[in-house]
Amino acid sequence: MKKRIGLLIVAFIIFYSLIHLGRYVPDLVRGKFSLVDERSYEIRCLHLMLDLVISFMFILGTYLSLHKFNPGQKYLKLTISIGFSFLLCFGLQFITSKILSSDPVIISRFFRNEILYNAFYVVFSMVFYFIQYSLYNEFQQKELTLQNKSSELSLLRSQINPHFLFNNLNNIYSLVYHNSKQSLNAISGLSELLRFMLYEKSEFIPLENEINYIKKYIELEQLRFERPSLIKFCVEKTKNEPLIPPLLLIPFIENAFKHGKVSFEEHWLEIDIKVEHNGDIVVRCINNVGIKAKAPIGGIGLENVKKRLEILYQGDYKFEIHHIENKFVVNLEINNKF
């Protein structure tokens, strides 16, 4: 935690004015402090300036002691340091008053007159320090929370890449093995997708970019077949272009190609993406599965989506997965704030 000496000085001057300086203002305006004081105006001003400096020394000594020993919980050293600082400043204050005062200064009377003010200064310094310390800890906690979220998001996103790469390398291997004419197109398509995955570092991207990525992914997957399978892809958008985390929707389509029952006679995969007028995003993905197929709930991809949604939207979304007869249905609604 950094020392805020400048802010401490400003706060001290305000505090000093409120509890001490106010009684001197009328006399300062008239050019003297009191009618019975025989000292010159210059001496009285000098005394006031020295009192300001020494009073601030009470505050500064306590503040620096807290700054040095409190974070390490060295309470004995802290107590000794504050006590020594207090006695040193009090002694200096007494000597200064004795030199500048026209009347004899008795230490017992001086102690009674000044001890309350000096105690206020020490308490003020403690309050100032602990307010700063509390704000610093709160800021550090928020920073740590953000760093943890960022690290977790990076980890979750990094899980997508090898999972995706493994599946598509297997597809390309199969095409090459069978001397398919689509091998080069598949490698080129994979290159475009990898470029997006590697160089898109933004936490949020326009929805249009995510849609284009999905389309390229589908084109790459379609190369596995002699003729394209039937897929229905509907996008309904408004003028407002919402933002979305990159690669958030691709696990739905990847999951469909991996576990779905591909058909060339009917639409075996339906993807519906809609943007409401308020910017909310509604996604529905339905794919056919075999009657005896096990619902692929709990896979890396879908679990990854759940965790990312919770971190980024903190419950401000709706994510449902259903396996009804031979249909696997994914519904996602995002109350978009970005």
Side-chain angles (χ1 to χ4, degrees), residues 70-324:
N70 181 67
Q73 298 183 345
K74 301 174 182 178
Y75 298 125
L76 179 59
K77 291 183 179 180
L78 175 62
T79 303
I80 294 173
S81 179
I82 293 177
F84 178 77
S85 173
F86 184 89
L87 292 175
L88 182 64
C89 294
F90 190 84
L92 183 61
Q93 188 181 42
F94 174 74
I95 294 172
T96 303
S97 297
K98 195 170 184 179
I99 293 174
L100 297 178
S101 178
S102 58
D103 299 322
V105 179
I106 302 173
I107 189 170
S108 58
R109 182 183 301 172
F110 178 82
F111 179 84
R112 290 194 300 271
N113 292 338
E114 300 296 335
I115 188 64
L116 184 60
Y117 287 112
N118 297 337
F120 280 158
Y121 299 143
V122 173
V123 172
F124 169 81
S125 182
M126 289 181 175
V127 171
F128 181 90
Y129 171 83
F130 282 111
I131 290 176
Q132 182 190 357
Y133 188 70
S134 176
L135 293 175
Y136 173 77
N137 284 342
E138 184 178 349
F139 176 78
Q140 289 291 97
Q141 188 63 38
K142 288 182 179 179
E143 283 289 306
L144 181 61
T145 301
L146 289 175
Q147 289 177 6
N148 288 340
K149 286 185 177 181
S150 179
S151 299
E152 188 172 355
L153 283 171
S154 298
L155 176 61
L156 290 171
R157 185 169 171 178
S158 68
Q159 289 177 352
I160 299 174
N161 298 351
H163 187 249
F164 162 85
L165 187 59
F166 176 78
N167 290 338
N168 281 278
L169 284 177
N170 279 341
N171 296 339
I172 293 175
Y173 174 82
S174 177
L175 292 173
V176 174
Y177 181 81
H178 292 93
N179 295 317
S180 172
K181 296 179 180 180
Q182 302 291 356
S183 300
L184 293 179
N185 291 333
I187 295 173
S188 176
L190 178 60
S191 176
E192 290 185 34
L193 295 180
L194 287 177
R195 186 179 296 110
F196 176 84
M197 297 172 70
L198 292 174
Y199 295 107
E200 183 54 71
K201 301 297 183 182
S202 303
E203 188 173 341
F204 291 90
I205 61 172
L207 177 62
E208 183 66 28
N209 294 7
E210 182 78 358
I211 292 173
N212 290 336
Y213 180 86
I214 293 173
K215 290 179 179 178
K216 290 180 180 178
Y217 177 82
I218 292 175
E219 291 175 4
L220 180 61
E221 286 288 343
Q222 294 279 38
L223 294 178
R224 291 190 297 151
F225 314 116
E226 294 182 359
R227 58 192 177 98
S229 61
L230 294 182
I231 298 175
K232 184 179 180 181
F233 194 171
C234 297
V235 178
E236 184 180 342
K237 298 189 296 181
T238 61
K239 293 182 179 179
N240 297 326
E241 181 71 16
L243 300 179
I244 193 170
L247 306 175
L248 183 70
L249 306 181
I250 195 64
F252 305 157
I253 291 79
E254 187 178 5
N255 185 77
F257 274 100
K258 184 177 180 180
H259 300 282
K261 184 180 180 181
V262 179
S263 174
F264 303 95
E265 285 76 31
E266 62 176 355
H267 291 105
W268 70 277
L269 173 60
E270 297 181 16
I271 306 167
D272 186 11
I273 300 176
K274 181 180 180 181
V275 179
E276 304 288 355
H277 291 287
N278 59 358
D280 291 354
I281 302 173
V282 180
V283 180
R284 184 177 177 86
C285 183
I286 305 174
N287 64 271
N288 294 345
V289 294
I291 298 176
K292 296 182 179 180
K294 182 181 179 181
I297 300 175
I300 294 176
L302 298 182
E303 286 300 319
N304 188 297
V305 171
K306 290 180 182 178
K307 292 177 181 178
R308 292 179 71 193
L309 286 169
E310 188 57 37
I311 292 173
L312 292 169
Y313 296 96
Q314 299 180 357
D316 204 11
Y317 67 93
K318 186 178 181 181
F319 184 44
E320 297 178 339
I321 300 174
H322 304 287
H323 189 207
I324 306 172

